[in-house]
Amino acid sequence: MSQTEAESPQTSQNANEIISTRLKGKVAIITGAGHGIGQAYAARLAAEGAHVVIAELDEKSGNDVAAQLTGIGRSALAVATNVTDPKSLENMAQKTLESFGRIDILVNNAAIFSTIPMSRSPFDEIEIEEWDAMMAVNVKGAWLASRAVAPTMKTQMSGKIINISSGTALKGSASRIHYVTSKAAILGFTRTLARELGPFGINVNCVAPGNTLSEVNPDSSTLSFRNAGANDRALKRTEKPADLVGAVAFFASPDSDFITGQTLVVDGGSFMH
Ligand SMILES: NC(=O)c1ccc[n+]([C@@H]2O[C@H](COP(=O)([O-])OP(=O)(O)OC[C@H]3O[C@@H](n4cnc5c(N)ncnc54)[C@H](O)[C@@H]3O)[C@@H](O)[C@H]2O)c1
């Protein structure tokens, strides 16, 4: 991997470049957009003209991301949000409506992921509390966030919900079964929610990223773990947040209006189906 790839994993394009205006006037909530790949989704949706809401547990990072975006002329709002808390999610929906008047897009990106150790966690050594926390954020959080925006989307008779799974749920992994199980749940969640919300003109789709270099300043072991992902891909390089934003923007846009219940694997050709 080149030095440049390691330096700026968040940036999907020149910050001031307008990619397209297909999301002009749309209102997009991205959970967990204060760091990592979620931050890149927010930047891309804003670059395509959406008003973006950074719904992030880490209030300072959420505010920083919103300030960066407004600083380059985008429309962004930070709302401190805990996706495990229904009241916090009601507040997220309410603040979005107060500021922008509608909710068109929800990206269920928040998850416990980068904070779990890279070292092996065999299934019988995982603490029960850690299992429960993983499910509360990664699975229940997506359900509660969808529940918070659905009434508005139903009234509008339109909306796009994009869930984030992981390639590891399709391939299996020899470690971290709680994370993999939570991401497998998102596949079934996507299909069922798509069937329930389809009659209201709401699309529900899923993106399954591969092993992605989402850390801003990765240490050497993280970097070698991320780079190792290149070995079993058809496209032999490290995956970056910039590789994922196009898929999310597509599912957020009218270009995917007749696609629902689908999972798009974005991993450079590691898992093929
Ligand atoms: N990086 C990868 O290799 C990879 C691979 C496949 C899937 N994914 C998925 O992509 C998404 C983003 O991954 P990432 O690498 O950027 O992870 P990350 O840990 O950098 O980002 C997760 C974000 O969610 C936030 N968050 C955590 N708990 C929250 C809560 N209760 N309420 C609101 N926000 C909360 C965190 O503060 C953080 O900003 C996750 O859903 C992850 O499972 C990542």
Side-chain angles (χ1 to χ4, degrees), residues 20-193:
S20 111
T21 52
R22 65 185 165 167
L23 300 181
K24 193 167 172 16
K26 300 287 185 193
V27 178
I29 299 174
I30 304 106
T31 66
H35 299 276
I37 309 172
Q39 181 179 349
Y41 295 146
R44 174 59 178 259
L45 298 187
E48 293 210 24
H51 305 284
V52 295
V53 176
I54 316 296
E56 170 59 55
L57 184 66
D58 178 347
E59 197 169 348
K60 184 184 176 308
S61 312
N63 288 337
D64 287 350
V65 170
Q68 274 170 29
L69 291 173
T70 52
I72 57 164
R74 309 285 191 244
S75 175
L77 171 75
V79 180
T81 304
N82 181 349
V83 297
T84 67
D85 176 0
K87 288 216 162 4
S88 175
L89 288 161
E90 274 167 36
N91 177 62
M92 171 193 83
Q94 191 55 39
K95 290 270 161 45
T96 303
L97 290 171
E98 282 166 16
S99 295
F100 302 123
R102 48 188 298 120
I103 303 172
D104 299 293
I105 299 153
L106 169 69
V107 185
N108 278 317
N109 166 78
I112 297 180
F113 177 66
S114 67
T115 47
I116 43 174
M118 287 281 171
S119 52
R120 267 181 56 75
S121 44
F123 86 96
D124 51 354
E125 289 176 22
I126 290 169
E127 300 290 339
I128 289 172
E129 294 73 19
E130 193 175 292
W131 176 282
D132 288 344
M134 186 72 79
M135 297 304 156
V137 178
N138 297 15
V139 183
K140 191 167 80 176
W143 169 56
L144 291 175
S146 303
R147 218 176 56 152
V149 302
T152 302
M153 289 183 174
K154 283 181 174 176
T155 306
Q156 293 169 183
M157 285 300 282
S158 69
K160 305 274 194 174
I161 296 178
I162 302 148
N163 300 316
I164 306 298
S165 177
S166 169
T168 198
L170 298 158
K171 291 161 58 174
S173 156
S175 180
R176 300 195 281 188
I177 199 169
H178 49 349
Y179 176 74
V180 179
T181 303
S182 74
K183 290 293 162 179
I186 292 299
L187 304 173
F189 175 77
T190 298
R191 292 172 184 164
T192 298
L193 197 62

